[in-house]
Amino acid sequence: MNPKIKVILTFLTLFALGFASGYLFKGAFYPSSEKAASEYQETNRSFRDMQRQGRPEPDFDRARANLSRWMRLNDDQQEAFFEALSQFRSDVRGISAESRESEQERILTEYHEFRYTVEKFLNEEQLHRLDSRLHPDSVRTNRQEAFRRSRGQ
């Protein structure tokens, strides 16, 4: 048999074996997406239940203890420190929310200026298509729908 044919047959045989073993062993080493999704939902459900009951998440206590140890806080300092930290985090979240709102307003203003420029030479159907694809609210909605589709919901 010709050496070229031997090489090609060997390659095809190895490729077929690799494909077959991949097909047979898929999911053997990683949990299936359905199983992983159900475990994720169960974990989230238990955290939500704990929060409703007023209990912090289990890792919160451990993180607080680790931070106290790392900062070398004594008992008198801990309560004041974590109260101040909580206020700081709340303030940062507020700043972030304000920033997002301001950013959203600026984006809308820019889009309306752009639309005013192009409406001089586009017809109504084209403007409608433009709005459905590029309007900031449409972009957000389209992203959310794409995300849901990618997660299989």
Side-chain angles (χ1 to χ4, degrees):
M1 198 183 304
N2 188 351
K4 268 188 182 176
I5 294 175
K6 286 181 183 179
V7 169
I8 292 172
L9 286 176
T10 304
F11 172 76
L12 289 175
T13 304
L14 286 174
F15 182 77
L17 284 172
F19 180 79
S21 63
Y23 180 78
L24 291 174
F25 290 117
K26 74 174 181 184
F29 301 106
Y30 299 103
S32 71
S33 60
E34 293 173 9
K35 182 179 177 185
S38 68
E39 288 175 0
Y40 175 77
Q41 289 172 347
E42 184 61 35
T43 302
N44 274 350
R45 191 175 306 120
S46 66
F47 282 145
R48 283 193 307 269
D49 291 344
M50 290 173 74
Q51 287 172 343
R52 266 189 245 123
Q53 296 169 358
R55 296 186 316 210
E57 295 177 5
D59 291 337
F60 180 78
D61 291 333
R62 185 174 36 213
R64 185 176 171 147
N66 287 340
L67 185 57
S68 293
R69 240 187 338 274
W70 183 74
M71 295 284 298
R72 295 183 181 134
L73 299 174
N74 61 35
D75 293 339
D76 299 335
Q77 295 173 317
Q78 284 184 18
E79 193 60 39
F81 175 78
F82 286 109
E83 196 171 302
L85 180 62
S86 176
Q87 183 61 43
F88 167 73
R89 292 180 66 211
S90 176
D91 292 345
V92 168
R93 277 193 299 271
I95 291 169
S96 296
E98 289 172 10
S99 177
R100 280 191 300 273
E101 289 173 12
S102 171
E103 180 181 273
Q104 206 46 35
E105 289 172 9
R106 288 178 36 211
I107 290 171
L108 276 171
T109 302
E110 286 295 320
Y111 179 76
H112 288 299
E113 289 176 12
F114 164 71
R115 192 176 189 287
Y116 178 74
T117 303
V118 298
E119 71 184 8
K120 297 172 187 167
F121 52 87
L122 296 179
N123 64 32
E124 284 300 316
E125 179 188 351
Q126 291 170 323
L127 288 172
H128 178 70
R129 287 173 158 258
L130 177 73
D131 286 342
S132 71
R133 189 61 69 159
L134 291 182
H135 190 280
D137 293 337
S138 298
V139 170
R140 189 177 321 114
T141 303
N142 293 340
R143 280 187 193 149
Q144 290 170 350
E145 289 173 4
F147 179 72
R148 282 189 204 108
R149 281 193 305 269
S150 71
R151 294 185 46 99
Q153 294 177 347

